[in-house]
Amino acid sequence: MAIGTVKFFNLDRGYGFITNEAGGPDAFVHITAVERAGLGSIKEGQKLSYELETGKNGKTSAVNLADAS
């Protein structure tokens, strides 16, 4: 699992981005992944562990989120 910090998350729009501590591109995160993890919401600066998954549309997003604080 990757570890990263929430760079941005807009609850109204239902998406945001996580910056990976190991470097590389930021990971897109959708509200459905947050809800599936039982987190309710995530906040800028929060540390999370996550996995990357490629969807049917070919885009990569963060899934299996867990608080890593």
Side-chain angles (χ1 to χ4, degrees):
M1 286 192 124
I3 302 289
T5 304
V6 178
K7 179 178 183 178
F8 156 84
F9 189 78
N10 185 312
L11 188 57
D12 293 331
R13 292 186 176 191
Y15 73 91
F17 294 91
I18 301 171
T19 301
N20 190 326
E21 285 186 349
D26 291 343
F28 175 83
V29 60
H30 193 264
I31 187 67
T32 55
V34 175
E35 291 170 346
R36 272 188 236 132
L39 297 174
S41 183
I42 55 177
K43 298 179 183 177
E44 186 176 320
Q46 183 177 355
K47 283 195 169 229
L48 298 173
S49 64
Y50 62 96
E51 294 177 356
L52 294 175
E53 177 178 272
T54 302
K56 294 176 187 174
N57 59 3
K59 295 185 179 182
T60 303
S61 61
V63 295
N64 299 326
L65 306 174
D67 191 19
S69 300

